[in-house]
Amino acid sequence: MSHLIAPSVLSADFGNLQRDCEMLNNSSCDWYHVDIMDGVFVPNMSFGFSVMKSLQQHAKKPLDVHLMIVEPDKYLEEFKNHGATNLSVHIEACPHLHRTIQKIKALGCKAGVAINPHTSVSLLEDIICDVDIVLIMSVNPGYGGQKFIENTYMKTHKLKEMIVRKNSDALIEIDGGVNLENASKLIDIGADVLVAGNFVFSSSDPVATIASLKKL
Ligand code: DX5
Ligand code: ZN
């Protein structure tokens, strides 16, 4: 499988969301990455179901929802009802991760587990065969436009080795500070999905920027 590109809607212009959705629909991106922040799990708030509703209406590609919230179980069904294709929860926010993952799958969504920069991939040994996606945070979650953390390469490499060894089908998604400089190296060491927010939306030609990430 060639790698997937998932622009992060967090960096879109919310005053012109329909226009930005049309841009993404016409681009070579694969998913919309949708960042949900609650101001508790992360020190920032993003948006909720009203924006999800607009995305559901205008997006013509799968919605890859990244829940940076405490107690995600409470809201899984509502996100599914608002068009989520993939639902990723943070390992740091889920005391019963196995149960949460089963719940996501029972809703008919792809189930993802996200890990913060300080969280070791070795904690995924006993869940890697149950998840569809592992989302490695390559910045501390909370904001777009931050600097890529170099240790992500080592984590991606270790995770890829675990996925092969365990015969898991999980995709590796890298989220935060992705740009043309680090993207090829990430793909080379096993990344399947690249999230890019600021790099796409602050460029003068977002469609061309998405195409350049896609053709790596
Ligand atoms: C950070 C979010 C990321 C972010 C990526 O908390 O999870 O998805 O929007 O944006 P960039 O690519 O600007 O780092
Ligand atoms: Zn994200």
Side-chain angles (χ1 to χ4, degrees):
M1 185 195 85
S2 98
H3 63 279
L4 307 179
I5 303 299
S8 170
V9 174
L10 189 65
S11 295
D13 177 352
F14 287 90
N16 290 291
L17 191 56
Q18 185 175 354
R19 182 202 65 192
D20 282 358
C21 286
E22 279 158 16
M23 180 278 287
L24 292 178
N25 291 339
N26 292 326
S27 79
S28 51
C29 80
D30 299 278
W31 296 347
Y32 280 54
H33 184 78
V34 182
D35 288 310
I36 306 293
M37 304 178 183
D38 66 355
V40 180
F41 181 68
V42 286
N44 193 15
M45 285 180 250
S46 58
F47 50 79
F49 295 115
S50 50
V51 170
M52 282 292 297
K53 211 170 242 172
S54 306
L55 291 172
Q56 190 177 21
Q57 193 184 341
H58 298 296
K60 295 199 178 120
K61 299 182 184 190
L63 301 182
D64 175 45
V65 178
H66 176 194
L67 297 177
M68 287 162 275
I69 63 175
V70 296
E71 302 191 74
D73 294 59
K74 284 186 181 171
Y75 304 100
L76 297 174
E77 192 167 357
E78 205 161 352
F79 278 107
K80 159 71 185 174
N81 293 339
H82 281 80
T85 308
N86 309 333
L87 278 169
S88 292
V89 294
H90 268 265
I91 192 171
E92 301 87 359
C94 293
H96 304 287
L97 180 63
H98 185 272
R99 180 183 290 150
T100 306
I101 293 295
Q102 303 312 323
K103 221 170 174 177
I104 294 172
K105 287 178 157 178
L107 288 169
C109 294
K110 297 276 182 209
V113 58
I115 60 171
N116 276 339
H118 73 278
T119 300
S120 170
V121 296
S122 62
L123 293 174
L124 301 172
E125 282 276 349
D126 294 310
I127 198 75
I128 196 68
C129 292
D130 295 291
V131 296
D132 299 299
I133 300 165
V134 176
L135 188 160
I136 297 183
M137 285 306 308
S138 39
V139 299
N140 283 296
Y143 305 93
Q146 301 181 81
K147 193 176 172 299
F148 180 84
I149 296 172
E150 299 279 319
N151 189 48
T152 306
Y153 296 124
M154 188 57 79
K155 291 176 78 169
T156 307
H157 189 73
K158 275 191 193 159
L159 178 60
K160 183 70 189 176
E161 180 276 322
M162 182 191 295
I163 286 172
V164 171
R165 176 167 45 82
K166 293 265 196 171
N167 211 9
S168 155
D169 293 326
L171 298 178
I172 302 179
E173 180 170 11
I174 308 293
D175 186 9
V178 170
N179 56 37
L180 264 183
E181 274 161 49
N182 49 37
S184 7
K185 189 164 172 194
L186 289 166
I187 294 163
D188 285 350
I189 59 178
D192 301 292
V193 187
L194 300 178
V195 174
N198 190 55
F199 186 64
V200 166
F201 284 94
S202 71
S203 81
S204 55
D205 186 347
V207 171
T209 302
I210 291 167
S212 63
L213 286 166
K214 184 68 187 169
K215 73 163 189 274
L216 286 173

